[in-house]
Amino acid sequence: MLLLTLAGGLGLNLGLVDRFPLREDEALYSYWALVFWRVDPFFLHVWPDKPPLWIGTLSAFFALLGPSQVTARLPNILVSTLTIALVWLTARRLWGSAPATLAGLFYALNPFAISFAATAYTDPMLVFWGQLAFYLAVSGRWFGAGLGLAAAIMTKQQGVFYAPLLLGLLLFARRAPTQGWAQEPLYHRPDHRPDHRPDHRSYRRPWLACIGGLLTLLLPILYWDSLRWAVAPSPWDLSIRNYGELTLSSPTLWGARLQQWGALLWCYAGSWWGWWLLLGLTSYGLWRRQRRVQAGRRPINDQAAIVGLMVCWALGFLLLHLVTTIQIWDRYLLPLIPMSVLLVSWAATYALSNREGQHRLRQQVLGVLLLVGCLLPTALHAAQGQLPIGGDHGAYSGLTTAIDWLKQHAPTNVVLYHQRLGWHYHFYLFDQEQAGDYELRWFPSAVYLADNAVKTPERQRFLIQPAWAPVRDLALHLAMRKLQLIPLQHFAQMTIYAVKPKDAPACTWCLCRPRWQLQPLAGAEERMTRQP
């Protein structure tokens, strides 16, 4: 069942691999990866505001497969598919095979996760490392959990949000000699007996192992970063400078922020029937579990402590985004998806189990078919880019075609003006820019572009203008400097313009002719010889 789920998840994740061009941040990360690989491995001239692990991963893929927008999206497609397996393994470790099957299906068909799989954002890999750290922690592999946490932090600064989750598991690890999670404890001492007084040093071993794994990856990367500080700032400093410090937002804004975050969170199920299905399964499952507890029957694979920890972490995650100044961006909610899927699968297990708590084959097959039939339409919508989250949805359609046309018809000696597409040009025209064939010039206004263009008459000057971002009064200001904007080609949302000298009007009196060919006007000699 896991292999079928992975195959289906991979197919859904590949739906948007090459349908739309990269968005702004995707193009920027891809450009940084090319700089890291080909030009500046210490980022002394280009200063990224993200830790280097994701950028280094993109660089490795570009080196192996060649730079392209498909290659830029392949790492996240792979890690998003592997996250399905991690969610399945975590649920199986905690609660058994039936919840694992539900968790794998829920995540593979989740429209929020699908929408971000075929992107070049840092967040899918952040979620993969965070989920790996969580799985290794509940399995008692604390050194690996520390490594996973360090990898999440070095992928994106939000990786620190996973630290409270591992901290809670470390606190629960003190109970490990007498009880643990699922089949095995978090930490197991073979010589332990119920009447044996535990060795307090054993409680410190998970902490030491986790910290050791954390420092094993953090220290080399921090050392690499320290070599740049004399010339370039750290990504952590730049992130604060670019996005602002994390502070408490004004309480008057909480209502508006709740509405905006709620609109994004609606895409978790992607449709009203998806929300009713998930809420119905969860509510009914919790009611069934409470009935079992009241009847004195043992819950099914229940781990109330870890469920409470996961619920507290999810609520704290939402509360942090609500009351602080974190930017309201859809991808910031992605770490919440695997944890919520695990909780929903835990509750849905009670809803789909029979009275004795046994999971019969027919019951499982019917439940799986019901879930797939209800969740698959929304998953297909997400795989076709029909949800307002994730990557581009058509705003940049035609950009790659326009760039290819321009490279073919103007291969060298080109000035390309840009206002909204600079990050895209840095990636798609990386080789041309490095060779000096293309010079990218940003302009803040039409006045600046016209003034700059008239000072560069010896080069070919072009502008690719999106339909949704026209440059105001550009033709007027060019005409004031005897220039004109000539449309060359139109591709979807993009139009290619050439900036050229304005044609002079045809006239007889303004022709340049030798003086001996000029005919004096009638009576001119008489007027010239007449004395005043």
Side-chain angles (χ1 to χ4, degrees):
M1 189 62 191
L2 175 60
L3 294 179
L4 290 176
T5 304
L6 289 175
L10 179 60
L12 293 171
N13 293 339
L14 285 170
L16 296 173
V17 64
D18 199 27
R19 185 169 182 178
F20 299 113
L22 301 174
R23 287 189 71 178
E24 305 92 335
D25 286 351
E26 296 178 274
L28 180 61
Y29 301 153
S30 302
Y31 167 66
W32 286 343
L34 288 178
V35 171
F36 182 79
W37 167 34
R38 293 183 175 180
V39 180
D40 186 9
F42 284 93
F43 289 122
L44 300 180
H45 304 284
V46 176
W47 299 348
D49 57 8
K50 293 292 184 292
L53 191 57
W54 169 245
I55 301 172
T57 303
L58 273 182
S59 298
F61 271 77
F62 287 156
L64 291 173
L65 304 176
S68 68
Q69 66 182 24
V70 174
T71 306
R73 289 167 173 158
L74 281 181
N76 277 341
I77 291 175
L78 294 178
V79 299
S80 297
T81 306
L82 291 176
T83 305
I84 300 174
L86 280 177
V87 170
W88 185 90
L89 289 170
T90 305
R92 185 175 182 273
R93 182 73 180 181
L94 292 173
W95 301 306
S97 58
T101 301
L102 294 178
L105 284 173
F106 282 143
Y107 194 81
L109 298 175
N110 185 271
F112 208 101
I114 294 171
S115 298
F116 285 95
T119 64
Y121 292 127
T122 56
D123 303 81
M125 179 166 282
L126 163 71
V127 171
F128 169 77
W129 290 121
Q131 189 61 34
L132 178 62
F134 180 69
Y135 167 69
L136 293 175
V138 299
S139 302
R141 298 163 182 158
W142 291 105
F143 185 83
L147 281 175
L149 178 60
I153 295 173
M154 287 296 108
T155 299
K156 192 174 184 177
Q157 286 87 341
Q158 280 86 338
V160 298
F161 292 160
Y162 286 97
L165 191 61
L166 265 64
L167 179 61
L169 293 175
L170 281 168
L171 293 175
F172 285 136
R174 292 180 60 88
R175 299 159 47 188
T178 57
Q179 56 180 328
W181 316 117
Q183 295 91 344
E184 296 181 11
L186 290 174
Y187 174 74
H188 177 68
R189 270 196 17 249
D191 61 341
H192 172 73
R193 296 183 180 87
D195 58 345
H196 177 71
R197 185 176 181 179
D199 184 1
H200 293 284
R201 290 178 299 177
S202 64
Y203 298 147
R204 293 195 296 267
R205 290 176 185 173
W207 290 81
L208 294 176
C210 186
I211 294 174
L214 185 70
L215 296 179
T216 298
L217 185 60
L218 283 183
L219 290 180
I221 296 179
L222 290 177
Y223 174 73
W224 168 87
D225 191 22
S226 67
L227 299 177
R228 309 169 52 251
W229 292 348
V231 178
S234 172
W236 294 85
D237 295 332
L238 279 176
S239 65
I240 296 176
R241 185 188 309 176
N242 294 341
Y243 302 106
E245 296 183 0
L246 182 62
T247 59
L248 190 69
S249 64
S250 173
T252 59
L253 301 176
W254 291 355
R257 291 180 64 87
L258 177 61
Q259 184 178 3
Q260 292 173 319
W261 282 119
L264 295 176
L265 196 59
W266 181 86
C267 297
Y268 173 80
S271 63
W272 289 113
W273 65 83
W275 271 108
W276 283 116
L277 174 65
L278 295 179
L279 291 176
L281 280 175
T282 304
S283 302
Y284 181 62
L286 292 176
W287 178 77
R288 287 286 302 273
R289 179 187 180 277
Q290 186 63 25
R291 288 282 302 273
R292 288 178 178 275
V293 173
Q294 292 177 353
R297 295 195 298 269
R298 186 174 181 270
I300 307 169
N301 294 325
D302 190 74
Q303 294 290 346
I306 199 170
V307 169
L309 175 64
M310 294 165 63
V311 169
C312 290
W313 183 86
L315 293 177
F317 184 90
L318 288 174
L319 184 63
L320 179 68
H321 286 70
L322 175 63
V323 302
T324 63
T325 55
I326 293 178
Q327 300 286 342
I328 303 177
W329 291 341
D330 50 6
R331 56 188 181 270
Y332 284 4
L333 292 176
L334 197 58
L336 189 65
I337 307 303
M339 211 60 59
S340 59
V341 162
L342 288 171
L343 292 172
V344 170
S345 65
W346 169 78
T349 305
Y350 293 96
L352 299 178
S353 63
N354 61 13
R355 186 174 181 179
E356 291 76 20
Q358 301 298 323
H359 307 279
R360 295 177 181 176
L361 179 60
R362 185 175 63 178
Q363 200 172 25
Q364 288 182 347
V365 172
L366 291 176
V368 167
L369 292 178
L370 175 64
L371 290 175
V372 171
C374 293
L375 299 178
L376 185 59
T378 309
L380 292 175
H381 288 166
Q384 297 170 3
Q386 297 180 7
L387 292 181
I389 56 174
D392 180 42
H393 294 83
Y396 294 100
S397 295
L399 177 60
T400 55
T401 308
I403 292 175
D404 291 339
W405 186 93
L406 195 60
K407 289 191 295 186
Q408 179 181 0
H409 291 82
T412 187
N413 196 32
V414 171
V415 172
L416 183 58
Y417 292 98
H418 65 90
Q419 192 176 42
R420 305 289 294 274
L421 303 174
W423 292 348
H424 296 84
Y425 294 156
H426 282 306
F427 172 67
Y428 289 113
L429 296 170
F430 183 85
D431 292 332
Q432 288 74 18
E433 187 181 8
Q434 292 297 315
D437 298 329
Y438 274 63
E439 181 183 351
L440 305 180
R441 293 183 184 178
W442 177 79
F443 65 96
S445 63
V447 177
Y448 183 94
L449 190 154
D451 180 70
N452 186 271
V454 78
K455 297 175 181 177
T456 319
E458 72 281 359
R459 305 191 68 176
Q460 302 181 79
R461 296 151 294 182
F462 296 95
L463 170 70
I464 301 178
Q465 182 171 266
W468 40 267
V471 183
R472 185 178 178 181
D473 298 330
L474 179 57
L476 173 63
H477 290 287
L478 288 174
M480 293 172 62
R481 290 162 175 81
K482 299 181 180 181
L483 296 174
Q484 60 181 334
L485 200 63
I486 300 177
L488 300 179
Q489 287 290 334
H490 178 75
F491 302 100
Q493 296 287 332
M494 304 294 161
T495 303
I496 305 176
Y497 293 95
V499 179
K500 293 187 176 181
K502 194 173 183 179
D503 296 332
C507 62
T508 57
W509 62 268
C510 59
L511 293 178
C512 296
R513 289 181 292 176
R515 291 180 59 85
W516 60 271
Q517 292 182 354
L518 295 177
Q519 299 295 330
L521 296 176
E525 295 181 358
E526 181 182 353
R527 288 193 299 271
M528 293 175 64
T529 58
R530 184 183 303 169
Q531 298 296 325

